[in-house]
């Protein structure tokens, strides 16, 4: 069953702008992860945030987690054309494996 | 390169064919996974192997048969598939299965088309 739900489904921005994607989930988690997928390729891990953390940074990425609202956001600052991809949140609520949402498709135009 | 390879990258097969997808990881991980990604659907977890034992089977039709001969290799045997089985099949591995908080490493996927 689907655990994460990303919002928006699609996002189009200009280079240099910030991109914000949101993820909501249904059950308690130990951690939440964000992944990126270039068209037709495998997923690449971006960042992991644990349930006792509220914010985490990695380069141009900033992730927040609000366990009371069961939601997370991924902010990409100063977007580049190379950031064009689909972004997925994934949770470990299933126990043995990650469960992914439908993803947000980000398009960054130059 | 993530350390997880998949072959073939593309596969076209008829409904009566039998084929196999192969996944290999060079990361020393103990858990391996098969996911199915169809258009406009979330990634669907199909199978989980931990230390070469299947620990999860998400109500996958029997026309998909996994095999994990050792911790580095994972196969997905396909037979009498349906056109709706056309999708991108992704293999992944992680250090351990379960809620250990370890990231998953994905292969590039096999694009399967069933005619």
């Amino acid at each position: 069953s689907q655990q994460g739900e990303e919002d928006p489904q699609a996002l189009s921005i200009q280079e240099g702008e910030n991109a914000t994607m949101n993820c909501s989930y249904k059950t308690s988690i130990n951690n939440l992860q964000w992944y990126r997928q270039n068209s037709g390729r495998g997923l690449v891990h971006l960042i992991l945030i644990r349930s006792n953390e509220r914010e985490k940074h990695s380069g141009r990425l900033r992730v927040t987690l609000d366990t009371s609202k069961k939601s997370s956001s991924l902010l990409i600052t100063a977007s580049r054309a190379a950031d064009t991809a689909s972004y997925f949140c994934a949770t470990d609520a299933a126990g043995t494996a990650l469960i992914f949402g439908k993803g947000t498709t980000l398009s960054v135009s130059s | 390169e993530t350390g997880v390879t998949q072959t073939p990258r593309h596969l076209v097969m008829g409904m009566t064919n039998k084929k196999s997808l192969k996944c290999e990881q060079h990361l020393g991980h103990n858990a391996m996974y098969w996911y199915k990604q169809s258009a406009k659907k979330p990634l669907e977890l199909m199978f989980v192997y931990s230390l070469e034992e299947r620990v999860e089977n998400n109500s996958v039709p029997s026309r998909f048969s996994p095999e994990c001969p050792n911790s580095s290799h994972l196969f997905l045997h396909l037979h009498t598939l349906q056109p709706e089985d056309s999708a991108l099949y992704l293999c992944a591995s992680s250090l351990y299965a379960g809620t250990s908080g370890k990231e998953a490493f994905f292969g590039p996927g096999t694009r399967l088309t069933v005619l």
Side-chain angles (χ1 to χ4, degrees), chain A residues 46-60:
Chain A
L46 294 177
I47 195 165
L48 179 153
I49 187 166
R50 300 192 183 281
S51 59
N52 61 355
E53 298 175 310
R54 292 295 168 260
E55 187 171 314
K56 202 163 183 179
H57 296 255
S58 177
R60 293 184 296 113

Side-chain angles (χ1 to χ4, degrees), chain A residues 2 5 23 33 44 49 62 103:
Chain A
Q2 183 182 340
E5 185 83 25
C23 168
Q33 302 182 36
V44 176
I49 187 166
R62 172 178 169 254

Side-chain angles (χ1 to χ4, degrees), chain A residues 14-48:
Chain A
Q14 299 284 323
E15 264 192 328
E17 294 180 340
N18 295 342
T20 300
M21 290 157 263
N22 303 297
C23 168
S24 59
Y25 56 92
K26 297 175 184 175
T27 59
S28 297
I29 59 172
N30 295 298
N31 67 77
L32 185 143
Q33 302 182 36
W34 284 91
Y35 286 77
R36 175 179 126 164
Q37 183 182 33
N38 287 81
S39 181
R41 305 282 297 181
L43 280 73
V44 176
H45 178 264
L46 294 177
I47 195 165
L48 179 153

Side-chain angles (χ1 to χ4, degrees), chain A residues 6 21 33-47 60-61 74 76 80-90 100 103-104 106 108, chain B residues 2 37 43 90 104 106-107:
Chain A
E6 290 89 345
M21 290 157 263
Q33 302 182 36
W34 284 91
Y35 286 77
R36 175 179 126 164
Q37 183 182 33
N38 287 81
S39 181
R41 305 282 297 181
L43 280 73
V44 176
H45 178 264
L46 294 177
I47 195 165
R60 293 184 296 113
L61 306 179
L74 171 68
I76 304 174
R80 305 165 183 167
D83 295 326
T84 295
S86 293
Y87 293 82
F88 297 86
C89 68
F100 290 82
T104 292
L106 173 65
V108 182
Chain B
T2 63
Q37 187 177 34
L43 274 77
L90 293 162
F106 281 80

Side-chain angles (χ1 to χ4, degrees), chain B residues 69-113:
Chain B
N70 56 62
S71 59
S72 298
H73 294 85
L74 184 65
F75 293 90
L76 187 62
H77 304 299
L78 316 171
H79 64 98
T80 58
L81 294 191
Q82 305 297 312
E84 60 265 28
D85 296 323
S86 298
L88 182 67
Y89 288 83
L90 293 162
C91 174
S93 71
S94 63
L95 188 56
Y96 298 107
T99 58
S100 62
K102 297 298 181 183
E103 66 192 86
F105 291 77
F106 281 80
T110 295
R111 173 67 64 185
L112 173 66
T113 302

Side-chain angles (χ1 to χ4, degrees), chain B residues 8-13 19-21 78 110-114:
Chain B
R9 295 293 310 279
H10 300 272
L11 178 62
V12 179
M13 58 186 290
K19 296 287 184 183
S20 295
L21 309 184
L78 316 171
T110 295
R111 173 67 64 185
L112 173 66
T113 302
V114 181

